[in-house]
């Protein structure tokens, strides 16, 4: 077996920033620190922070006044922000700056008097947060077929924004369908798909071209990890999402006759490298062989912490 690693893979700058925010709040204020929703979609990360005093909640209603609460990297609605203030909570916003950029674009389109559409998956925290930040009703489009079913008010110009973690191919097809039906619709000046999503999807496509099987390390509820699996499968390679090494099935690893099985490994933007290395170790334990890392984009993006956390406690 040859194991081939995609580059880039794993943590992006927004995830790194969100986790550090929770760590800094714990360092400054001690446990418990409440986190509204999973800080990122990875159970290993969530469990690690929980072991250090983070408490993950899906409602703010019963938190004690004066509590420290961190909003997740996916962003929250304006109503959640207002509720935290009303309850006397001390909130720190860990929303990814690239998700915040989508919020701001949505608000600009609404201020321009446009009817707003959002391309995204219903119920995903980022979509809920963005629609709740727009300041006006938002029409959700999740797939190409939804475009034909739209019943939009007449006489108002249209605009769209997109969830940052979608498949580039799916987004492109939905946007094309929107332009075909509504030729005057406008979107952001640049893609809302974030650099990390784009880089990882380009990398997994390059990986799929060179291997017999792709394993994507990521949580089942991670949108960007699921999209990586879909991109690889779309290119005709068997692809599976694994949360950790225990999810690997022996039947996936049958080598072609008289040949070496080439297994590609990548990871979603919320997946720590430790899980990738555990998967690699498990593969090599079953079938020893070389590990090769493909050349790819080297990411050096860093996002600033919120002002109140920028200086570490001495």
């Amino acid at each position: 077996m040859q194991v081939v690693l995609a580059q880039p893979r794993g943590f992006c700058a927004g995830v790194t920033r969100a986790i550090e925010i929770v760590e800094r709040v714990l360092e400054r204020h001690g446990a418990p620190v409440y986190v509204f929703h999973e800080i990122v979609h990875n159970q290993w990360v969530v469990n690690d922070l929980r072991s250090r005093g983070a408490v993950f909640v899906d409602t703010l209603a019963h938190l004690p006044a004066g509590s420290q609460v961190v909003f997740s990297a996916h962003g929250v609605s304006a109503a959640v922000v207002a509720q935290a203030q009303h309850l006397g909570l001390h909130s720190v916003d860990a929303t990814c700056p690239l998700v915040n950029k989508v919020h701001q674009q949505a608000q600009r389109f609404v201020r321009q008097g446009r009817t707003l559409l959002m391309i995204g998956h219903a119920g995903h925290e980022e979509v809920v947060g963005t629609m709740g930040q727009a300041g006006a009703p938002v029409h959700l489009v999740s797939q190409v077929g939804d475009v034909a079913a739209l019943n939009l008010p007449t006489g108002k110009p249209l605009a769209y924004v997109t969830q940052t973690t979608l498949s580039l191919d799916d987004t492109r097809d939905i946007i094309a369908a929107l332009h075909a039906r509504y030729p005057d619709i406008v979107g952001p000046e640049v893609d809302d798909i974030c650099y990390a999503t784009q880089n990882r999807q380009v990398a997994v496509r390059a990986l799929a071209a060179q291997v017999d099987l792709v394993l994507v390390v990521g949580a089942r509820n991670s949108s960007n990890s699921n999209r990586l699996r879909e991109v690889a499968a779309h290119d005709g390679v068997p692809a599976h999402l694994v949360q950790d090494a225990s999810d690997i099935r022996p039947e996936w690893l049958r080598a072609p006759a008289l040949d070496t099985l080439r297994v590609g490994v990548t990871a979603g933007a919320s997946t720590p490298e430790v899980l990738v290395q555990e998967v690699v170790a498990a593969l090599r334990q079953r079938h020893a062989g070389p590990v090769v890392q493909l050349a790819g984009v080297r990411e050096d993006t860093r996002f600033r912490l919120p002002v109140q956390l920028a200086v570490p406690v001495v």
Side-chain angles (χ1 to χ4, degrees):
M1 176 188 294
Q2 181 185 66
V3 177
V4 184
L5 295 172
Q7 172 66 29
R9 63 182 182 274
F11 278 1
C12 64
V15 165
T16 299
R17 175 181 181 270
I19 294 170
E20 186 174 356
I21 286 173
V22 178
E23 292 172 337
R24 291 274 183 108
V25 177
L26 281 166
E27 182 182 38
R28 287 172 180 268
H29 301 284
V33 167
Y34 296 95
V35 183
F36 187 67
H37 297 322
E38 292 185 350
I39 187 67
V40 297
H41 284 158
N42 187 274
Q43 201 59 47
W44 189 97
V45 172
V46 168
N47 288 341
D48 178 60
L49 292 172
R50 184 180 284 128
S51 72
R52 293 190 262 168
V55 178
F56 294 87
V57 298
D58 291 322
T59 179
L60 302 179
H62 305 298
L63 301 188
S67 296
Q68 301 290 326
V69 61
V70 177
F71 300 141
S72 83
H74 308 101
V76 298
S77 68
V80 170
V81 176
Q83 183 186 24
Q85 293 173 341
H86 175 74
L87 294 173
L89 305 175
H90 300 292
S91 62
V92 181
D93 189 1
T95 303
C96 174
L98 298 181
V99 174
N100 262 327
K101 186 185 77 171
V102 179
H103 293 178
Q104 293 162 10
Q105 183 65 77
Q107 292 161 2
R108 279 195 292 271
F109 284 144
V110 169
R111 288 197 300 270
Q112 292 167 4
R114 298 182 180 275
T115 296
L116 186 65
L117 294 81
M118 179 162 195
I119 302 171
H121 293 138
H124 189 280
E125 285 97 330
E126 181 186 333
V127 171
V128 173
T130 300
M131 293 175 69
Q133 286 282 350
V138 181
H139 302 268
L140 182 64
V141 178
S142 298
Q143 54 191 356
V144 170
D146 293 340
V147 176
L150 287 170
N151 183 20
L152 300 176
T154 59
K156 289 184 67 176
L158 306 178
Y160 66 85
V161 293
T162 73
Q163 181 181 339
T164 63
T165 55
L166 296 179
S167 160
L168 296 171
D169 291 335
D170 287 347
T171 306
R172 190 180 299 114
D173 291 344
I174 294 172
I175 292 171
L178 285 172
H179 278 289
R181 185 171 181 193
Y182 306 105
D184 295 329
I185 195 170
V186 299
E189 294 180 4
V190 295
D191 265 344
D192 282 345
I193 302 298
C194 81
Y195 80 92
T197 295
Q198 180 166 342
N199 288 348
R200 280 152 188 73
Q201 290 184 19
V202 169
V204 81
R205 182 154 283 158
L207 179 70
Q210 301 185 42
V211 299
D212 306 299
L213 167 73
V214 170
L215 299 181
V216 178
V217 189
R220 293 190 182 96
N221 64 336
S222 166
S223 175
N224 74 86
S225 297
N226 278 284
R227 302 296 80 74
L228 290 176
R229 189 206 63 78
E230 290 172 2
V231 168
H234 184 267
D235 284 4
V237 179
H240 304 282
L241 182 69
V242 296
Q243 296 193 109
D244 52 38
S246 67
D247 282 346
I248 301 171
R249 297 184 184 175
E251 61 265 29
W252 298 342
L253 306 177
R254 293 177 183 144
L258 303 176
D259 202 355
T260 300
L261 180 68
R262 298 164 299 172
V263 179
V265 178
T266 189
S270 53
T271 303
E273 181 66 11
V274 62
L275 295 183
V276 175
Q277 293 306 319
E278 287 178 2
V279 166
V280 171
L283 292 172
R284 298 195 72 210
Q285 187 176 22
R286 286 183 169 95
H287 304 281
V291 178
V292 177
Q293 179 166 285
L294 297 181
V297 174
R298 295 285 178 177
E299 295 176 346
D300 56 6
T301 302
R302 298 290 183 273
F303 292 136
R304 294 179 180 177
L305 294 174
V307 173
Q308 68 264 45
L309 299 177
V311 180
V313 174
V314 178

